[in-house]
């Protein structure tokens, strides 16, 4: 595929217009990192399946000319192959290690984040998407209701904050998870924070969490403040 | 420091002679990875402080000529600086990302492993070390006794097995955590498994955990079966 062919990113959009998939945020950062211009195509939760006749159930979906890709890791690796300038992964070992860190971070964070924020995502979704979001997530999380699932979210909050210890440990050594400069591990982490900032009615982080405050300032400033806007809800109490 | 100066590694030793610190295992693998010959100096838990007049409280300690280093990350980075052949970290980003994966893996595993194995470590220690080990760990883990702390270890076992999901996810893509070849992330993970294999009276892994079984076969085969010996206790039920 010629690198000149147009690039289109299908993004999940909330009622307020913000992009709300942590996986889409990774690709937004990856495209910015590589300096690839693209057109954003916002879709709601219910529209993802309609696109491409049900071939894809999730975003991000990236079109590049006639190539259509789904799944953020596949997209990131495709971008490095086809647009080699400013590699996301300088070596195969870096790619593998970021993949492993991604899996570890998901293990540490993902379920805890749902315990706290899944109802906020529902309430921030476009009204037309809410019934589908509720039904699919209640089935997936095996819960009677999103309200019941998040009923003890105040109790989960300290556990989630404690579970962010690996980020703080890393940021004691380096300005970014990837070291002196951000790498794809940072785009993964920033994606989680952008996701929460798009929907949160309960601040994720304690006032005195300076390691993470400094990191998020640096991270959200990247690429001319990609994704920073007035619709972001406070991440710090 | 001339690379010809002798290298000595102080290792924590159990009653049966096996090395039992996951941090020492990392450095054993790092030295093997780089093909650096070294002399092993076994010390018991109580002897670590006596060495060097209390300057170091933990192993590994590595001597290289007149240079003395403590703390496994410092040692690994020193080895790459002074013995650049066969780098442990090909790039600064790989180093940073492995550090982050290390912090994530500790978050996922470490406390759960203590819930299951800390009494086994005590019982496998040299008799002269047991009172010190017990007192220091009971204080550190804030428990009334190691027996009380591990009383529900059968209940913690399924949680620990579930928490190994990131390793399984990674090994679905790659033979090693570091990709096609092992990197320092593998030496970190293998260190945890060697530690458990040195002491476990309860198998860590389920019989049907094929992703991890295959990985541990490959991992324990590295460097002529470094650390594989008849004293290893079963990791699989």
């Amino acid at each position: 595929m010629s690198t000149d062919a147009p690039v289109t990113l299908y993004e999940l959009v909330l009622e307020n217009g913000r992009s709300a998939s942590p996986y889409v945020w990774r690709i937004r950062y990856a495209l910015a990192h590589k300096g690839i211009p693209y057109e954003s195509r916002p879709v709601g939760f219910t529209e993802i399946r309609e696109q491409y006749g049900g071939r894809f159930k999730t975003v991000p979906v990236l079109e590049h000319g006639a190539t259509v890709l789904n799944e953020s890791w596949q997209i990131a690796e495709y971008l490095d192959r086809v647009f080699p300038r400013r590699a996301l992964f300088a070596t195969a070992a870096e790619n593998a290690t970021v993949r492993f860190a991604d899996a570890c971070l998901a293990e540490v964070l993902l379920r805890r984040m749902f315990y706290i924020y899944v109802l906020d995502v529902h309430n921030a979704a476009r009204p037309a998407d809410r019934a589908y979001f509720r039904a699919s997530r209640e089935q997936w999380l095996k819960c009677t209701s999103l309200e019941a699932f998040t009923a003890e979210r105040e109790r989960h909050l300290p556990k989630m904050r404690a579970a962010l210890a690996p980020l703080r440990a890393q940021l004691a050594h380096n300005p970014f998870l990837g070291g002196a400069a951000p790498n794809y591990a940072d785009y993964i982490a920033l994606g989680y924070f952008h996701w929460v900032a798009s929907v949160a009615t309960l601040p994720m982080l304690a006032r005195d969490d300076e390691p993470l405050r400094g990191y998020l300032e640096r991270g959200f400033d990247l690429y001319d403040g990609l994704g920073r806007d007035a619709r972001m809800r406070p991440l710090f109490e």
Side-chain angles (χ1 to χ4, degrees), chain A residues 9 13 15 23 29 97 109 147 171 191 195 208 236:
Chain A
L9 176 65
V13 74
E15 187 175 23
Y23 305 101
Y29 275 106
T97 312
L109 279 189
E147 285 76 3
L171 298 167
W195 179 39
D208 63 355
F236 288 88

Side-chain angles (χ1 to χ4, degrees), chain A residues 12-21 43-45 116-131 133-134 146-147 153 194-202 231-233:
Chain A
L12 188 63
V13 74
L14 297 169
E15 187 175 23
N16 69 4
R18 264 182 74 82
S19 189
S21 156
V43 291
F45 285 95
I116 304 173
Y117 295 116
V118 69
L119 184 60
D120 282 350
V121 178
H122 170 273
N123 294 341
R126 298 183 323 172
D129 291 329
R130 289 182 197 165
F133 181 88
R134 174 182 291 278
L146 300 183
E147 285 76 3
R153 68 180 195 159
H194 266 298
W195 179 39
V196 172
S198 299
V199 303
T201 58
L202 183 68
R231 296 165 299 181
M232 289 175 87
R233 297 183 183 178

Side-chain angles (χ1 to χ4, degrees), chain A residues 7 26 31 41 58 65 68 76 84 88-89 92 126 128 148 154 156 185-186 191 198 205 207 212 214 229 231-232:
Chain A
V7 173
R26 301 174 180 194
L31 290 162
R41 196 75 58 84
T58 58
V68 185
L88 293 165
F89 308 106
R126 298 183 323 172
E154 308 265 353
H156 284 283
D186 291 284
S198 299
L205 301 167
R207 199 181 311 261
L212 283 181
D229 67 47
R231 296 165 299 181
M232 289 175 87

